[in-house]
Amino acid sequence: RNFCDLGPVEGCGFTALEDQKFDVIINATAAGLKGETPVLPGGVLAADAWCYDLMYGDHPTAFVSWAQAQGAGRVADGLGMLVEQAAESFFLWRNVRPETRDVIAVLRSEIG
């Protein structure tokens, strides 16, 4: 589906999320800097929901761990985004597009 077909986008506080289900949750808060998660109520993930954390580290972030414990269908952290942004910059500067899959795999093995 096209995002334009999904209807209006609304904002609210965490407490207003109770009794709602979401297919995708993206954590872009600073909570991960302290090893914390946003104050999300339990049960907000729809069946097979995707959760993405902009943070990354040498072990799963608090948000990724929360998402897994909540039964998320798929979780990811921000390491891939970091590598892809670097690859795009390298392409702009050098006109060479690096193979990012191997870079991500090496970084995962080094930090994990």
Side-chain angles (χ1 to χ4, degrees):
R1 288 178 34 179
N2 184 323
F3 282 115
C4 297
D5 299 334
L6 297 178
V9 174
E10 299 177 25
C12 66
F14 290 130
T15 57
L17 300 176
E18 295 208 22
D19 300 322
Q20 295 190 53
K21 300 283 185 187
F22 297 91
D23 296 315
V24 176
I25 296 180
I26 300 171
N27 179 30
T29 70
L33 294 173
K34 297 179 183 176
E36 300 172 356
T37 61
V39 188
L40 295 167
V44 296
L45 297 183
D48 219 25
W50 288 36
C51 291
Y52 181 78
D53 195 351
L54 295 179
M55 298 291 296
Y56 63 92
D58 59 354
H59 55 280
T61 66
F63 179 76
V64 165
S65 295
W66 172 87
Q68 290 170 327
Q70 294 292 312
R74 185 164 180 183
V75 296
D77 66 17
L79 183 64
M81 180 178 63
L82 174 75
V83 171
E84 294 296 338
Q85 288 174 334
E88 189 64 22
S89 295
F90 194 83
F91 175 72
L92 291 171
W93 296 329
R94 304 288 184 158
N95 203 31
V96 174
R97 188 166 307 278
E99 293 294 326
T100 57
R101 185 174 298 222
D102 291 341
V103 172
I104 293 170
V106 167
L107 288 173
R108 287 267 180 235
S109 68
E110 292 292 321
I111 64 174

